[in-house]
Amino acid sequence: MHFRIDQWRAWAPGLDNTDKWLAWSRAPECLLDTGEQPDVSFLPALQRRRLSRLARMVFQVGWPLAEGHSELPLVYISRHGETPRSLSILQDLAATEPLSPTQFSLSVHNAIIGQWSILRADTSEMTALAGEGDGLEMGMLEAATLLAEGAPAVLLVIGEEAQPALYAPFIEDVPFPYALALLLVPGDDWNLQLHKGTGARAAWPHPLSLIQSLCNGCETLEHTWKERQWTWSRKIP
């Protein structure tokens, strides 16, 4: 797969601009999550009320990159999605409480891209994926296909929310909440290849490793998940 990353933005607790991500990438550490909300003040208050924290993360990183594009295909990836909202619904069921139709409709995996489409009045092709540990690369495959079909640009957004304590023994790949948006356009600046092989698990989830690479100007980056080895390489001017 060949492509160019035209722009990128990322958010995590306390990391809301490029300078802060540059500092984190030089000495990466697990961040303390105090529950702060991403800034989505560019949306009217009534529209913000319906957005979960994960949705706010997606909008915070993706919205500025979509400016100037009346139609922009979107690939959204999240392994765990709206887990906190889904757990709340399950707890209501267990307590025989009446379920909120709004809560249920917003808990499904494609709810965020539905909200995105409505608020931006954009009916471009949009896809919601739930991949494994290499969901980022699976999303890149989907985005590269759209570019190959003639899309002038594709917005890829991947995000994970803090997981409920109840799920802590089962979910260990979200060290802290984060979201990453990439505005992808045709080009050969980057090359992404897949090979069969095994290796050590990366210290950080793949999106966070990619942010480190973008900040530090690395020429190559390898991600391994199970028997899939992904190699990112780019041309450095």
Side-chain angles (χ1 to χ4, degrees):
M1 292 178 278
H2 298 274
F3 52 91
R4 179 165 65 88
I5 299 177
D6 187 64
Q7 299 179 64
W8 68 273
R9 283 176 58 94
W11 184 92
L15 304 179
D16 55 3
N17 60 51
T18 303
D19 288 341
K20 292 180 180 179
W21 277 107
L22 285 169
W24 180 87
S25 68
R26 297 188 188 103
E29 61 179 357
C30 192
L31 303 175
L32 176 64
D33 181 18
T34 59
E36 66 183 270
Q37 294 284 344
D39 180 13
V40 288
S41 56
F42 48 82
L43 294 173
L46 186 60
Q47 295 175 347
R48 295 198 301 266
R49 287 178 55 191
R50 292 173 60 87
L51 298 180
S52 66
R53 191 188 187 201
L54 178 59
R56 288 169 180 250
M57 290 160 54
V58 170
F59 276 65
Q60 203 273 349
V61 298
W63 196 276
L65 301 191
E67 289 300 308
H69 297 268
S70 58
E71 295 183 356
L72 183 64
L74 170 65
V75 178
Y76 161 68
I77 314 106
S78 180
R79 185 177 188 184
H80 304 291
E82 296 279 11
T83 305
R85 198 189 292 268
S86 298
L87 177 60
S88 176
I89 292 174
L90 292 174
Q91 290 172 328
D92 285 343
L93 279 173
T96 65
E97 296 287 341
L99 299 184
S100 163
T102 299
Q103 284 286 82
F104 176 77
S105 65
L106 294 177
S107 71
V108 298
H109 200 67
N110 62 351
I112 288 179
I113 62 173
Q115 291 173 298
W116 177 276
S117 176
I118 292 170
L119 295 182
R120 290 198 62 83
D122 188 347
T123 57
S124 301
E125 182 172 349
M126 299 183 187
T127 304
L129 301 176
E132 290 190 294
D134 55 352
L136 169 62
E137 286 79 10
M138 297 301 177
M140 288 298 308
L141 178 59
E142 180 72 16
T145 302
L146 291 168
L147 291 174
E149 291 178 344
V154 176
L155 181 62
L156 181 148
V157 185
I158 184 166
E160 299 293 351
E161 167 64 298
Q163 299 303 299
L166 185 63
Y167 291 158
F170 314 103
I171 298 177
E172 56 179 18
D173 59 346
V174 186
F176 50 82
Y178 66 84
L180 168 65
L182 304 173
L183 183 62
L184 305 169
V185 297
D188 60 358
D189 298 42
W190 283 87
N191 180 37
L192 178 58
Q193 295 182 322
L194 171 63
H195 304 281
K196 185 175 181 180
T198 58
R201 177 176 171 177
W204 299 99
H206 291 193
L208 296 178
S209 295
L210 179 59
I211 293 173
Q212 283 184 275
S213 179
L214 291 168
C215 289
N216 296 329
C218 299
E219 293 187 19
T220 61
L221 176 66
E222 288 195 353
H223 284 159
T224 300
W225 182 257
K226 295 184 177 178
E227 295 185 352
R228 299 188 290 272
Q229 282 191 337
W230 299 91
T231 302
W232 299 66
S233 57
R234 64 170 165 173
K235 298 177 181 178
I236 303 296

